[in-house]
C-alpha cells in the first residue's frame, strides 16, 4: 500500500484510538488533517530549526568500491508473544566473531514491520557509505517487528494494532536483545546499545529507551507519534537522565502534523536542562525525514 493512502486511512481511524490512548495516560491523538497527513495544526517555535546541515545527495546510493555487509532475516522464539517472529539483522563489512560490535535497534511505524526501515531508508547503504568516509563505527543493526502480537502484520486497520506497540518492551528486553547477544558477537552493555525509531517507533524509543537508560545510552526519536508518554513521565528524574544519556536526538519535519509531540518533549527537556539535540528539518511525516535523521544519528553514536 502506498504511504499516502495508508496515512489517509490511518487518519480516519484516529478517533477510534483516542479513547484507548487517553486512558493509558499517553498524549491524545490529534484529529486527522485533511489531505493525507497525521495530526493537527502546526505551530512552529523559534527553537524549531535544523541542528545539522542537509545530507549531501546520494547518501543511500551504492558507491563503487564501498565494502558491503550482510542483511539477513532471522527467526526467533518470542516467549513474550508466544510465536516465532522475524527480524532483519545487518552485520557490517568484515564482520567477524573475533571482534565485538555495538548494536543499533531500529523501530518502525504504524503501518510497518521488520522490512520497513529497509524500504524507507536502506540503513545498510547509509552506514556503508559513512564507514567508507570514516564517519561512523562498524555496528550491527537490528530491525525487529514492533507490533508485539501473534498476528504481527499491519492488516487492513493498522491503528487497531497500536496496543501491540505498547506491549513490545517485553519482546525487546526478554527475547530480542538476548537473541542478538547470544547469536552475534556483541558488546553487551548500555554504552554499546542504541535505540531509535520512526513515528510509532519513535514513541516506543522515547517510552522504552528513556525508562531503561541502564540498557541504552544512545537514543533517537524521529517524528514521534502520539503513543509517546507525557514528558514528565518519560523523564521523571532529569538529573539521572542527564548523567546517563550519551546522546538523545529528537527530530521532526516542520510539515509533520505530529510535531507537537516532539516539541513537547524538547520543551520539557530544555526546562529541566537535560542535554539533547532538537533537529527540525523541512520535511513532513515521510521517508526523507527518517532516512536523513538516521544518517545524522548513525554518525554520532558509539563514539
Ligand atoms: C496517531 C497518529 C499517527 C497515532 C499514531 C500515529 C496512536 C502513527 C503514525 C506512524 O507510525 O506513522 O494519532 O496514534
Amino acid at each position: 500500500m502506498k504511504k499516502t493512502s495508508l496515512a489517509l486511512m490511518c487518519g480516519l481511524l484516529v478517533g477510534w484510538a483516542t479513547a484507548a490512548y487517553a486512558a493509558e495516560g499517553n498524549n491524545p491523538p490529534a484529529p486527522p488533517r485533511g489531505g493525507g497527513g497525521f495530526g493537527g495544526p502546526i505551530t512552529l517555535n523559534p527553537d524549531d530549526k535544523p541542528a545539522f546541515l542537509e545530507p549531501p545527495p546520494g547518501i543511500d546510493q551504492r558507491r563503487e568500491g564501498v565494502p558491503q555487509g550482510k542483511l539477513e532475516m532471522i527467526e526467533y522464539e518470542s516467549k513474550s508473544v508466544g510465536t516465532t517472529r522475524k527480524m532483519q539483522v545487518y552485520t557490517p563489512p568484515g564482520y567477524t566473531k573475533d571482534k565485538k560490535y555495538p548494536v543499533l535497534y531500529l523501530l518502525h511505524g504504524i503501518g510497518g514491520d521488520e522490512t520497513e526501515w529497509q524500504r524507507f531508508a536502506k540503513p545498510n547503504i547509509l552506514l556503508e557509505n559513512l564507514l567508507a568516509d570514516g564517519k561512523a563505527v562498524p555496528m550491527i543493526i537490528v530491525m525487529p517487528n514492533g507490533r508485539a502480537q501473534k498476528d504481527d502484520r499491519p492488516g487492513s486497520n493498522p491503528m487497531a494494532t497500536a496496543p501491540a506497540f505498547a506491549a513490545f518492551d517485553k519482546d525487546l528486553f526478554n527475547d530480542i536483545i538476548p537473541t542478538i547477544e547470544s547469536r552475534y558477537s556483541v558488546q553487551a552493555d548500555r554504552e554499546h546499545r542504541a535505540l531509535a525509531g520512526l513515528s510509532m517507533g519513535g514513541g516506543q524509543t522515547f517510552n522504552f529507551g528513556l525508562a531503561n537508560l541502564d540498557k541504552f545510552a544512545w537514543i533517537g526519536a524521529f517524528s514521534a507519534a502520539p503513543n509517546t508518554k507525557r514528558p514528565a513521565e518519560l523523564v521523571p528524574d532529569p538529573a539521572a537522565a542527564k548523567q546517563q544519556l550519551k546522546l538523545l536526538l529528537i527530530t521532526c519535519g516542520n510539515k509533520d502534523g505530529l510535531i507537537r509531540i516532539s516539541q513537547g518533549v524538547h520543551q520539557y527537556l530544555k526546562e529541566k536542562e537535560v542535554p539533547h539535540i532538537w533537529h527540525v528539518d523541512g520535511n513532513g511525516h515521510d521517508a526523507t525525514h527518517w532516512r536523513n535523521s538516521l544518517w545524522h544519528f548513525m554518525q554520532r553514536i558509539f563514539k
Side-chain angles (χ1 to χ4, degrees):
M1 195 187 315
K2 276 174 61 192
K3 182 77 185 164
T4 44
S5 55
L6 180 64
L8 191 62
M9 183 178 72
C10 292
L12 297 172
L13 293 161
V14 159
W16 178 89
T18 305
Y21 267 80
E24 280 176 24
N26 297 310
N27 291 284
R33 273 186 307 161
F38 287 120
I42 297 170
T43 309
L44 296 176
N45 302 316
D47 282 1
D48 303 345
K49 50 185 197 291
F52 313 124
L53 297 174
E54 280 288 299
I59 54 172
D60 62 348
Q61 304 298 311
R62 283 214 178 284
R63 281 168 17 201
E64 219 178 288
V66 169
Q68 296 180 20
K70 191 171 119 194
L71 259 180
E72 53 185 348
M73 189 65 84
I74 69 162
E75 294 194 344
Y76 66 101
E77 296 307 319
S78 171
K79 287 191 272 327
S80 56
V81 178
T83 49
T84 302
R85 310 195 76 210
K86 286 192 166 72
M87 58 183 155
Q88 193 136 242
V89 182
Y90 168 81
T91 48
Y95 172 79
T96 160
K97 294 271 177 204
D98 299 338
K99 292 187 190 149
K100 287 187 184 297
Y101 298 82
V103 185
L104 165 61
Y105 294 85
L106 266 186
L107 309 180
H108 61 79
I110 192 75
D113 60 22
E114 66 280 359
T115 65
E116 184 177 75
W117 265 106
Q118 197 54 39
R119 284 184 282 116
F120 281 168
K122 304 196 188 82
N124 54 333
I125 302 182
L126 298 181
L127 180 66
E128 285 155 9
N129 288 338
L130 286 170
L131 288 171
D133 294 340
K135 290 186 176 160
V137 302
M139 64 185 86
I140 293 173
I141 305 174
V142 178
M143 292 166 272
N145 181 314
R147 191 179 291 100
Q149 62 183 21
K150 287 196 167 66
D151 174 5
D152 64 8
R153 298 301 102 192
S156 57
N157 181 0
M159 275 292 171
T161 69
F165 285 74
F168 176 68
D169 53 341
K170 290 175 241 11
D171 191 38
L172 178 64
F173 292 120
N174 301 339
D175 296 305
I176 292 174
I177 293 177
T179 298
I180 296 299
E181 294 182 353
S182 68
R183 293 195 210 167
Y184 294 85
S185 192
V186 163
Q187 288 170 294
D189 59 63
R190 63 182 296 279
E191 300 209 359
H192 299 96
R193 254 188 234 118
L195 184 65
L198 70 89
S199 200
M200 282 299 274
Q204 289 177 310
T205 296
F206 273 141
N207 297 347
F208 307 150
L210 293 173
N212 294 281
L213 290 174
D214 59 323
K215 305 216 172 55
F216 299 103
W218 313 86
I219 293 184
F222 316 143
S223 322
N227 62 329
T228 302
K229 291 186 171 150
R230 294 193 178 93
E233 208 183 322
L234 287 178
V235 186
D237 185 350
K242 201 170 177 166
Q243 214 198 346
Q244 287 176 292
L245 277 166
K246 289 274 205 186
L247 173 67
L248 172 54
L249 173 61
I250 306 174
T251 76
C252 200
N254 67 13
K255 298 181 184 66
D256 187 333
L258 296 181
I259 193 170
R260 72 188 187 287
I261 306 289
S262 304
Q263 285 170 324
V265 180
H266 159 66
Q267 201 50 47
Y268 174 86
L269 296 173
K270 190 178 168 181
E271 269 163 40
K272 302 291 175 189
E273 297 180 342
V274 178
H276 63 286
I277 300 177
W278 173 223
H279 173 68
V280 177
D281 70 14
N283 294 297
H285 198 74
D286 59 44
T288 304
H289 179 77
W290 302 323
R291 181 191 63 212
N292 291 355
S293 295
L294 179 60
W295 186 80
H296 292 303
F297 187 66
M298 277 175 160
Q299 43 192 307
R300 287 169 177 82
I301 55 177
F302 309 133
K303 289 179 161 179

